[in-house]
Amino acid sequence: MKGNNENQKTQFNGVMLNAYPDSIGERLKDTLDVLKLPEFKNTFSLFYVLPTFFNSDLDRGFSIVDYNINDELVSKEDMILFEELGISLKFDIVLNHLSVGSPQFKDLLKHGKNSKYKDFFINWNTFWKDNGTLNEDGIIIPEELLLNKLFMRKSGLPILKVVFPDGSERPYWNTFYQKVTYNKISVEDLKEIQNLSTQQAVAICKLVNAEIDSIENLKELDFGAYKAFKDAVISILKKNRSYLGQMDVNAKSELVWDFYEETLAKLKDFGCKILRLDAFAYLHKEVGESNFFNTPGTWNHLDRIKKIADKNDLILLPEIHAEYGANLHDEVAARGFQIYDFFLPGLMVHTLEQRSSTALLKWAQEIVNKKYKVVNMLGCHDGIPVLDLKGKEVNGTYNEGLLKDEDIDSIMETVIGRGGRVKNLYGPNGKKISYYQVNATFFSALGEDSQKMLLARAIQLFMPGIPQIWYLDLFEGKNDYKAVERAGDGGHKEINRTTLKVEDINAGLEKKSVLNQLDLIRLRNTHEAFLGEIIVNSGLESDIKICWKNNSSYVNLSVNLNNYSFEIRYSEENQEKIINFN
């Protein structure tokens, strides 16, 4: 099978580094210092900087407060240094949501129904009006048929109840993370309660503050002899509570689109070339439709954001996790967008552990035949996707996945057996319906075997598309269990986000396996054959042979999965060079 590397020829050529601004050292400047080291010369042409580049408050950057530079981690001088190094930038825009700490949501909390941004976010009850039943908590429960169409990222309804200035509680759509903190009260807070003496106020404060950190439902607070004041105190607790959360924006509001216009122009000024559309498939919401990639609404939104991107010379990369059998990757690619190769990480684990190239080469052939423009990866800031590999029934027809369910289960068992953690999806009833991803460093997922890691990197670099390299994989980072423990509930992703100190970098650069990875990356980043035609040969199940050719230039990869050995032959100044790291 043959195909052209259309990704690189028409847009960018080279390898993309992926990290947070503070993944190495303390600030983005520390990563730039590493990229200036001689060992990193000519290794990277792109850098995907994760969104703590901007002002954010949780989910390691994916809860955006605003899209201004985070001065604690980034400086404007950093942008100049990237340009001097010849490295283009990729950023995120989180289309579906903004932080409760954003100026827009803070204005809503301050001014309530009189806020300029009253329609910027989605009032749950307004959305479902006349399509459900109001429960005792003042929340509309959608009709069962409608509720069952919702795609849940957490247990329970996707809402956060907030208090307006008039004391009323309003539920707002909140697909992803939320946290409500009830703050301790003082005698001053209770002064508005009628017929409450100072002595009683002191006693109530002592009683409430002793329990407030450990209780989940305020109604469970035992006021004892002061129960006559319970409702008034709870009202004050609710009014004074603080929130963390990612609040879904209302794409039916023109203010939201004005915000997108302003943001994309700002990102262009920061040096952005590729823009990842995070959570875009959740943006369009319509009664009677799924809240995930419903059509034609999602396409209409995507077309509209593309027009804004085109004005700013930005290449869009929509981020979407869905079963292979749903064919959403094909639909997005067919409209001319770059797509993420979320299939490769799981396929790579399967290929190496089962010593079988069949599924991997089938996917490679699809990329080539359908001329997909992809960005691929092994590890990333998230987990190793498993949902993506599955089949799915669509309109009564079952479309097979890239792997059988038992093979996907085997991947899960292998990575979990090596210390990985699991992320699940939930149904409308709050019950788990599927694994979503497994969290581990890719090095640990491969059993912390340097030869497997090096082989995985070689295969990735020869796959069609732009290779994206997670900084921790480059230095053979291991699962960070202490970070998971420190992060507490929901902190599973921290297993793969260890901050590397300068001494860690120096120690890594003493390891031959790390230097070998850098040599492979340098070859992929600079050899002109990767601008040409790819030929993927399927032979023995245990073999992989991939060739890139561009006129007289060539680079060939030959893999033996039985012993994890590989050889690379490439042209250089009319001579053939050989790389053999076995």
Side-chain angles (χ1 to χ4, degrees), residues 244-519:
L244 285 174
Q246 297 154 294
M247 308 309 299
D248 292 38
V249 300
N250 177 17
K252 294 179 180 179
S253 166
E254 285 304 310
L255 284 178
V256 169
W257 290 96
D258 291 344
F259 174 73
Y260 292 157
E261 290 264 10
E262 173 191 326
T263 300
L264 266 64
K266 184 180 294 185
L267 299 185
K268 177 186 178 181
D269 289 343
F270 290 155
C272 180
K273 302 297 183 184
I274 299 178
L275 183 62
R276 177 181 182 267
L277 305 182
D278 183 76
F280 87 94
Y282 295 89
L283 181 62
H284 185 266
K285 297 176 178 69
E286 197 71 48
V287 173
E289 301 288 343
S290 169
N291 59 320
F292 178 81
F293 212 106
N294 60 61
T295 57
T298 299
W299 292 126
N300 294 338
H301 287 346
L302 198 54
D303 289 341
R304 189 170 179 182
I305 200 77
K306 186 178 186 303
K307 289 178 181 177
I308 303 173
D310 288 345
K311 286 193 298 185
N312 291 283
D313 298 317
L314 299 175
I315 297 167
L316 296 183
L317 176 57
E319 179 252 3
I320 181 169
H321 282 286
E323 299 91 339
Y324 172 85
N327 286 324
L328 290 183
H329 66 284
D330 187 69
E331 292 183 42
V332 174
R335 289 179 175 248
F337 292 99
Q338 283 187 331
I339 59 171
Y340 258 124
D341 184 356
F342 286 126
F343 311 110
L344 183 61
L347 286 174
M348 190 70 74
V349 175
H350 171 80
T351 297
L352 298 185
E353 296 305 318
Q354 302 301 322
R355 293 178 169 84
S356 171
S357 63
T358 304
L360 179 72
L361 295 185
K362 176 185 176 183
W363 169 234
Q365 182 173 2
E366 180 176 340
I367 298 173
V368 171
N369 290 349
K370 294 192 175 184
K371 298 181 180 180
Y372 292 156
K373 295 176 288 186
V374 305
V375 173
N376 64 46
M377 72 199 73
L378 297 179
C380 67
H381 71 281
D382 234 339
I384 297 171
V386 287
L387 170 77
D388 305 66
L389 297 168
K390 296 172 70 70
K392 187 176 179 65
E393 184 177 309
V394 180
N395 298 325
T397 301
Y398 183 78
N399 299 323
E400 291 187 352
L402 283 170
L403 292 176
K404 296 178 180 178
D405 286 352
E406 54 264 34
D407 291 325
I408 297 172
D409 290 341
S410 179
I411 293 172
M412 295 293 300
E413 291 168 6
T414 297
V415 179
I416 292 172
R418 292 169 176 168
R421 305 297 169 89
V422 177
K423 171 69 174 177
N424 299 320
L425 291 177
Y426 296 86
N429 60 2
K431 293 183 179 179
K432 186 190 84 173
I433 57 174
S434 177
Y435 290 130
Y436 179 57
Q437 61 188 20
V438 58
N439 296 92
T441 71
F442 210 79
F443 185 58
S444 289
L446 296 179
E448 299 177 2
D449 184 314
S450 293
Q451 183 61 26
K452 282 186 183 179
M453 186 70 237
L454 189 60
L455 174 56
R457 180 70 68 218
I459 296 171
Q460 179 203 7
L461 294 171
F462 272 75
M463 287 286 288
I466 297 175
Q468 179 177 293
I469 312 292
W470 184 235
Y471 76 102
L472 202 55
D473 294 341
L474 184 56
F475 290 92
E476 298 185 343
K478 299 179 181 179
N479 288 342
D480 191 340
Y481 305 112
K482 290 183 178 179
V484 174
E485 292 174 8
R486 287 195 300 269
D489 185 44
H492 51 280
K493 293 181 181 180
E494 297 304 312
I495 200 170
N496 187 31
R497 298 175 175 179
T498 306
T499 298
L500 298 180
K501 300 176 182 177
V502 174
E503 49 265 38
D504 297 322
I505 302 298
N506 292 334
L509 293 176
E510 294 293 324
K511 297 171 66 174
K512 187 65 176 174
S513 54
V514 172
L515 295 175
N516 288 344
Q517 277 201 63
L518 287 169
D519 285 341

Side-chain angles (χ1 to χ4, degrees), residues 70-314:
N70 177 358
D71 292 331
E72 293 183 2
L73 301 179
V74 183
S75 71
K76 292 182 179 179
E77 288 73 22
D78 296 337
M79 306 300 98
I80 298 172
L81 289 173
F82 277 119
E83 189 172 348
E84 291 175 354
L85 287 169
I87 294 176
S88 299
L89 297 175
K90 169 185 162 188
F91 290 128
D92 282 281
I93 180 171
V94 186
L95 285 181
N96 180 69
H97 48 264
L98 276 176
S99 166
V100 296
S102 65
Q104 295 88 344
F105 202 79
K106 288 171 74 173
D107 190 271
L108 176 66
L109 292 178
K110 182 177 181 181
H111 299 290
K113 63 182 181 181
N114 295 319
S115 170
K116 173 183 177 181
Y117 299 102
K118 63 184 177 66
D119 297 321
F120 195 94
F121 302 93
I122 303 172
N123 182 307
W124 176 269
N125 283 357
T126 302
F127 183 92
W128 292 108
K129 185 180 179 182
D130 301 326
N131 290 285
T133 304
L134 195 69
N135 71 6
E136 61 181 11
D137 293 323
I139 299 169
I140 292 179
I141 306 300
E143 297 167 8
E144 185 175 3
L145 184 64
L146 302 177
L147 184 62
N148 287 339
K149 290 187 176 183
L150 296 185
F151 185 78
M152 303 294 195
R153 291 298 301 262
K154 59 189 178 186
S155 59
L157 291 175
I159 59 173
L160 175 67
K161 294 179 72 175
V162 299
V163 178
F164 268 24
D166 62 5
S168 63
E169 284 191 295
R170 311 290 176 98
Y172 275 80
W173 203 310
N174 166 247
T175 295
F176 293 89
Y177 182 89
Q178 65 166 258
K179 182 179 180 181
V180 177
T181 300
Y182 290 97
N183 300 306
K184 293 183 177 181
I185 53 175
S186 66
V187 171
E188 182 69 17
D189 294 324
L190 304 184
K191 66 180 183 179
E192 62 188 63
I193 300 177
Q194 294 184 353
N195 302 318
L196 179 69
S197 69
T198 300
Q199 184 179 3
Q200 288 172 321
V202 170
I204 289 174
C205 287
K206 184 177 180 180
L207 182 153
V208 170
N209 291 342
E211 295 188 50
I212 197 67
D213 291 334
S214 59
I215 202 161
E216 294 185 6
N217 188 341
L218 293 181
K219 294 179 181 178
E220 296 175 2
L221 281 170
D222 183 4
F223 278 72
Y226 309 105
K227 64 181 180 180
F229 302 106
K230 182 174 182 176
D231 289 344
V233 174
I234 287 179
S235 178
I236 291 169
L237 283 167
K238 288 181 177 180
K239 185 178 179 180
N240 292 346
R241 66 190 175 189
S242 54
Y243 311 97
L244 285 174
Q246 297 154 294
M247 308 309 299
D248 292 38
V249 300
N250 177 17
K252 294 179 180 179
S253 166
E254 285 304 310
L255 284 178
V256 169
W257 290 96
D258 291 344
F259 174 73
Y260 292 157
E261 290 264 10
E262 173 191 326
T263 300
L264 266 64
K266 184 180 294 185
L267 299 185
K268 177 186 178 181
D269 289 343
F270 290 155
C272 180
K273 302 297 183 184
I274 299 178
L275 183 62
R276 177 181 182 267
L277 305 182
D278 183 76
F280 87 94
Y282 295 89
L283 181 62
H284 185 266
K285 297 176 178 69
E286 197 71 48
V287 173
E289 301 288 343
S290 169
N291 59 320
F292 178 81
F293 212 106
N294 60 61
T295 57
T298 299
W299 292 126
N300 294 338
H301 287 346
L302 198 54
D303 289 341
R304 189 170 179 182
I305 200 77
K306 186 178 186 303
K307 289 178 181 177
I308 303 173
D310 288 345
K311 286 193 298 185
N312 291 283
D313 298 317
L314 299 175

